Amino acid sequence: MDWRTALLAATGAVFVIIALLADPIAQDPAYHAFADQRTMLGIPNFLNVISNGAFVAIGLTGIAMISRTDPSVLGDLKLVWLMLFLGLIATAAGSSYYHWNPSNATLAWDRLGMVIGFMSLVALVVGEYGSKPAARALLWPLLVVGIASVLYWIHTESLGRGDMRPYAFVQFVPILLIPLTLLLYGVRSDLTRWFWLLIACYLLAKVAEHFDTQLLALGHLLSGHSIKHLLAALAPACL
């Protein structure tokens, strides 16, 4: 193991320790109170629901591109790419269901789709900057870990002691480790500039989510959360 791989492993281990030592994190009920609750065409929270169409569009486009690409070009990463784009479609389905009727129970379906995308992205980074066979081998264990983090959260919520620590780790730690990987191994892939753009789009999406109410008040058109969906879909589109 070279020093760069050791640094990534050590950084990941530090975050694992922090997650284990932190107090359990319950889902804030106020999270479900989105700024834009307008009903249109009989659909509650209309724009938060239909803005998920961006994930479907990018997911289907990605799958179509994979089907037209010479398998020898994709190699061991073909399945990883496929799961990334399928994760976008799963995210669209889960998020639409959630925004139709926001609650912890429906939020679980939203997050199940998201972790498929997150974990597939981690595997893709491993394949681009490390080993393609390793990425293929890690894909399924990563997906199991991601899905388990959501199931653990919803189970603890049902017991009245909700704990989102594993899910928070799955969502946010890759966003911290991927830039470090790009800095350490960036010359290994011609996708590096696009991974940076992906990270920028995702961070902008989180900013938009934070200013949900303020952005809706600007023009009474799109709320911050609807804009978040569009920017979050644009992130994997960069690839």
Side-chain angles (χ1 to χ4, degrees):
M1 181 185 295
D2 68 17
W3 69 270
R4 292 171 297 185
T5 305
L7 178 59
L8 287 169
T11 304
V14 168
F15 284 117
V16 170
I17 294 170
I18 291 173
L20 291 174
L21 294 178
D23 292 331
I25 305 171
Q27 179 65 58
D28 183 359
Y31 178 82
H32 306 304
F34 297 102
D36 191 351
Q37 301 183 21
R38 293 172 291 183
T39 297
M40 303 179 190
L41 303 177
I43 300 176
N45 309 307
F46 179 75
L47 290 174
N48 281 344
V49 171
I50 67 161
S51 55
N52 285 290
F55 292 110
V56 177
I58 300 304
L60 291 177
T61 300
I63 292 171
M65 292 178 69
I66 290 171
S67 68
R68 295 196 302 267
T69 302
D70 186 339
S72 64
V73 174
L74 297 172
D76 288 320
L77 293 183
K78 180 173 182 178
L79 182 60
V80 177
W81 280 105
L82 180 62
M83 291 307 300
L84 173 63
F85 292 119
L86 286 175
L88 296 182
I89 296 173
T91 297
S95 182
S96 297
Y97 178 51
Y98 165 60
H99 284 289
W100 194 292
N101 180 27
S103 69
N104 280 354
T106 54
L107 180 57
W109 291 100
D110 182 7
R111 288 177 171 169
L112 282 171
M114 290 169 63
V115 294
I116 294 173
F118 286 137
M119 294 295 93
S120 299
L121 181 63
V122 171
L124 181 61
V125 170
V126 171
E128 285 292 326
Y129 299 98
S131 163
K132 290 180 172 57
R136 173 69 181 267
L138 284 171
L139 176 62
W140 296 114
L142 284 170
L143 290 174
V144 169
V145 169
I147 292 170
S149 73
V150 178
L151 296 180
Y152 172 79
W153 162 63
I154 203 68
H155 174 66
T156 56
E157 286 286 353
S158 71
L159 298 176
R161 47 182 176 83
D163 186 3
M164 292 196 304
R165 285 178 300 172
Y167 172 73
F169 181 90
V170 163
Q171 179 176 182
F172 293 109
V173 172
I175 296 300
L176 298 174
L177 290 181
I178 289 174
L180 182 57
T181 302
L182 300 183
L183 291 171
L184 295 175
Y185 295 101
V187 296
R188 291 191 179 183
S189 173
D190 58 359
L191 287 179
T192 295
R193 72 181 67 179
W194 304 108
F195 273 114
W196 282 118
L197 190 55
L198 176 151
I199 293 167
C201 288
Y202 185 77
L203 292 177
L204 286 173
K206 300 304 289 184
V207 171
E209 179 182 39
H210 180 75
F211 292 103
D212 186 28
T213 301
Q214 294 88 335
L215 288 172
L216 179 62
L218 285 178
H220 299 286
L221 294 175
L222 290 177
S223 68
H225 202 85
S226 294
I227 295 172
K228 172 206 170 182
H229 288 165
L230 301 178
L231 288 170
L234 184 61
C238 297
L239 301 179

